[in-house]
Amino acid sequence: MSFSKEEIGRLKAEFLTAFHQCGNASEAARRVGAKRGSVTAWLRAAGVVARAQAGPGSGHRRADHPAKAEYARLRAEGLSNTAAARRVGINPRTGRDWHQGIVVPLKVV
């Protein structure tokens, strides 16, 4: 099944509205009838990555993480993502997300 650009734009807008209401990409995709793989790309384009919302014990996902500034400084000095991430004690994937400006919202209202 293929959709026109207008239909895709409408579905994308409906999905993003549903996502902001429920905070869960899979649930929002089900609500609007979109495929999970498509909505992941839409979230990335909107600057949001569909991952579990930050909660207790997931401080590495917070936008205000205390290591974020140190990580950014080390990257600016020329350290690789992996080296900078190890030095500040975060997962290299978290470092890559930070470097690309991707954050997970603490609370979707």
Side-chain angles (χ1 to χ4, degrees), residues 19-20 22-24 43 46-55 58 61-63 101-109:
F19 175 75
H20 286 296
C22 72
N24 182 294
L43 287 171
V48 179
V49 173
R51 292 203 183 119
Q53 285 190 349
S58 61
R61 295 186 187 144
R62 291 187 359 234
I102 299 170
V103 296
V104 176
L106 289 176
K107 183 177 180 183
V108 177
V109 186

Side-chain angles (χ1 to χ4, degrees), residues 15-86:
F15 165 76
L16 290 172
T17 299
F19 175 75
H20 286 296
Q21 289 172 349
C22 72
N24 182 294
S26 295
E27 174 61 25
R30 276 191 293 275
R31 288 182 186 183
V32 301
K35 292 183 178 180
R36 183 66 176 86
S38 297
V39 302
T40 300
W42 296 343
L43 287 171
R44 287 202 174 127
V48 179
V49 173
R51 292 203 183 119
Q53 285 190 349
S58 61
H60 67 283
R61 295 186 187 144
R62 291 187 359 234
D64 62 341
H65 189 284
K68 194 168 188 177
E70 177 65 8
Y71 170 82
R73 185 187 66 76
L74 293 169
R75 289 288 287 164
E77 288 181 1
L79 265 70
S80 70
N81 172 59
T82 303
R86 285 186 179 148

Side-chain angles (χ1 to χ4, degrees), residues 3-23:
F3 293 97
S4 69
K5 288 183 181 182
E6 293 81 21
E7 291 170 322
I8 292 172
R10 179 193 51 77
L11 188 62
K12 182 178 177 181
E14 288 176 10
F15 165 76
L16 290 172
T17 299
F19 175 75
H20 286 296
Q21 289 172 349
C22 72

